[in-house]
């Protein structure tokens, strides 16, 4: 399955089917992030149940501290 992630076409490996699994795959599960799937913001409590499908457009925004 492939999705568009932050503007790049990426193939997802077997077992990455939800937003939660996607964040874990990219080691972002413990970061403060905003996730948007097909222009809809996904609430954190829905990460585990929000399934990803071939062709989905996903944006992940994470915050970086510093000054």
């Amino acid at each position: 399955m492939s999705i568009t992630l932050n503007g790049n076409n990426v193939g997802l490996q077997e077992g990455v089917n939800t937003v939660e699994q996607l964040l874990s795959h990219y080691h972002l599960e413990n970061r403060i992030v905003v996730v948007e799937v097909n222009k809809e913001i996904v609430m954190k409590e829905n990460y585990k149940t929000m399934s990803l499908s071939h062709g989905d457009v996903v944006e992940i925004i994470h915050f970086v501290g510093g000054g």
Side-chain angles (χ1 to χ4, degrees):
M1 167 173 62
S2 66
I3 63 170
T4 301
L5 177 61
N6 292 350
N8 299 307
N9 190 24
V10 296
L12 297 181
Q13 68 184 58
E14 194 76 25
V16 178
N17 301 310
T18 66
V19 169
E20 180 180 70
Q21 292 165 343
L22 181 67
L23 293 175
S24 180
H25 177 74
Y26 286 102
H27 307 288
L28 296 171
E29 67 271 26
N30 294 319
R31 307 277 304 266
I32 297 172
V33 297
V34 174
V35 180
E36 181 183 276
V37 177
N38 299 323
K39 299 186 179 184
E40 296 282 333
I41 293 175
V42 179
M43 301 302 290
K44 185 174 182 173
E45 58 266 17
N46 295 329
Y47 287 177
K48 184 178 274 190
T49 59
M50 180 67 179
S51 295
L52 298 172
S53 299
H54 180 76
D56 279 347
V57 178
V58 180
E59 295 289 328
I60 299 175
I61 301 164
H62 62 94
F63 300 92
V64 179

